[in-house]
Structures are given as C-alpha cells and as structure tokens.
Amino acid sequence: MPRQIDLDTLPHAFSTVARQQGWSSLHSPKSLACALTVEAGELLSLFQWQDGGNLHERAASPATKDVAAELADIVLYANALADRLEIDLVAALHSKCESNARRFGLSYDG
C-alpha cells in the first residue's frame, strides 16, 4: 500500500530545514517561484536528448532516483509557496480537478 502524505505537514518539514540552514529570509514568494522553476528545469534536463522510446523506462527505473528526487523538490517548493501565500493547496487541487472535469464533460468525485 502506498504511503500517504499529508500536504499540511510538508510546510513544517520544509520550513524546519530552511530555518536550521538560515534560508528562511530567502524564501519570499518570488524566490520560491524561481526555485520551483529551477527544479522543473532540472527535471526536464533528465529527459533532454532522450528518444521517445525510453523515456518511460528511464523515469520508472529503480536505478534512477533522479526523476523522483526532482519531482519531490517540485512538490516541496510548490507547497512551500502555497503556504507562504496562505493558499490551501488541497482545496486548490480539488478546484482544479473539478474545473478540468467540467471542461471535458467528465465527473469528478474527489
């Protein structure tokens, strides 16, 4: 069974590390958005110059933890930004899923 993660606890874990490293003052919304973009770029770089046939294999390979680590960084920075801006990320995710379902004529029961 997959482990569940509570998005409400992520900001605390993230801010604890930031505080211990003295980074808290650097975590403005702009800086967090920039960091999020950098992490997305790092994820993209893992797939650069790969042909379409082996992309899924690379992402799913247990030997390659880079993709998982970059995805985790993206989620952590997105959650930290939402926390900093006092956005309920869970509510925003549900709202977006509902909007997408309506847009494509589907039902959403999340």
Side-chain angles (χ1 to χ4, degrees):
M1 174 162 201
R3 291 177 297 182
Q4 298 295 314
I5 195 159
D6 180 359
L7 289 179
D8 293 329
T9 63
L10 283 181
H12 175 70
F14 188 87
S15 65
T16 298
V17 171
R19 199 171 40 258
Q20 289 175 348
Q21 296 299 317
W23 299 334
S24 296
S25 65
L26 303 173
H27 285 182
S28 68
K30 178 187 174 207
S31 293
L32 290 168
C34 288
L36 178 59
T37 303
V38 168
E39 295 301 336
E42 289 177 4
L43 174 65
L44 182 60
S45 74
L46 297 174
F47 294 105
Q48 187 175 13
W49 311 120
Q50 301 289 323
D51 67 21
N54 68 359
L55 287 177
H56 180 72
E57 292 168 12
R58 174 157 170 77
S61 170
T64 305
K65 296 188 179 187
D66 296 342
V67 171
E70 296 306 336
L71 285 170
D73 285 341
I74 290 166
V75 170
L76 286 170
Y77 277 115
N79 201 49
L81 180 58
D83 185 57
R84 183 81 158 100
L85 296 174
E86 298 180 1
I87 294 170
D88 181 341
L89 191 54
V90 173
L93 288 166
H94 283 295
S95 177
K96 185 63 176 180
C97 289
E98 289 170 354
S99 173
N100 286 342
R102 277 193 310 276
R103 180 176 171 203
F104 297 108
L106 305 169
S107 63
Y108 174 70
D109 56 352

